[in-house]
Amino acid sequence: SKRSYHEKVLDHYNKPRNVGSMAKNDTDVGTGLVGAPACGDVMKLQIRVDPNDNTISDVKFKTFGCGSAIASSSYLTELVRGMTLEQAARIKNTEIAKELCLPPVKLHCSMLAEDAIKSAISNYYTKNPKAKVTDLGGTGASMPKIEVETVTASAATA
Ligand code: FES
């Protein structure tokens, strides 16, 4: 039927990749926690960064949300592994939505994934300010906005 999830969504939903957590206080780990105000769904995404080349060496997520949000975060973890922070910060939710064939009503679910990776990168930069200096490629200017979203998400889970 028209309302059923696309098979790619179901695949990620049934076999989510990289579910889990990392030690939040590890200096090499960036944690993003974001929420979607419209539905209350929450996504936690963590990245482990190789400080030698600023690439994402590992990534884990936990999503309390709909099937599209789980699929979006699962797909995102596969997408960002091996990327530099700068590359990962440029991921747009539309790429995720396109890959998973999300309908318009589910676009905000993929937005949650975009917000989550940006929030995780922002958190990593906060812990490792020097990494940001060596990795500024024009994306840095948009970072402060993400802190606000992180605060919103924390409030949503409280
Ligand atoms: Fe809100 Fe999917 S319905 S994240």
Side-chain angles (χ1 to χ4, degrees):
S1 86
K2 263 189 204 160
R3 270 191 284 172
S4 63
Y5 281 113
H6 190 274
E7 61 180 277
K8 282 179 181 169
V9 172
L10 290 175
D11 182 51
H12 279 281
Y13 179 75
N14 289 322
K15 292 174 288 181
R17 279 58 139 187
N18 306 306
V19 173
S21 291
M22 298 178 203
K24 215 171 71 174
N25 294 331
D26 191 323
T27 0
D28 292 341
V29 171
T31 300
L33 179 65
V34 294
C39 60
D41 291 355
V42 175
M43 187 180 290
K44 186 177 86 171
L45 186 88
Q46 293 183 297
I47 51 172
R48 179 177 297 282
V49 178
D50 182 342
N52 296 314
D53 57 5
N54 260 0
T55 58
I56 297 172
S57 59
D58 198 9
V59 49
K60 297 274 185 237
F61 84 93
K62 276 189 178 174
T63 294
F64 305 91
C66 73
S68 297
I70 291 167
S72 293
S73 39
S74 172
Y75 172 62
L76 179 79
T77 61
E78 294 194 314
L79 193 63
V80 299
R81 190 187 294 272
M83 279 188 176
T84 64
L85 293 177
E86 192 188 311
Q87 289 168 333
R90 280 197 297 260
I91 291 171
K92 289 278 166 276
N93 80 299
T94 44
E95 295 171 43
I96 299 164
K98 194 176 166 199
E99 165 69 20
L100 298 174
C101 304
L102 296 184
V105 71
K106 290 287 177 183
L107 278 182
H108 81 270
C109 317
S110 60
M111 195 65 214
L112 208 50
E114 181 188 325
D115 286 347
I117 183 64
K118 287 184 169 159
S119 175
I121 292 168
S122 176
N123 178 250
Y124 178 80
Y125 282 147
T126 303
K127 286 171 154 182
N128 302 274
K130 282 181 186 155
K132 187 166 186 173
V133 171
T134 56
D135 195 36
L136 268 186
T139 55
S142 65
M143 284 301 167
K145 170 179 141 271
I146 289 126
E147 291 301 332
V148 177
E149 286 163 12
T150 309
V151 171
T152 308
S154 307
T157 51

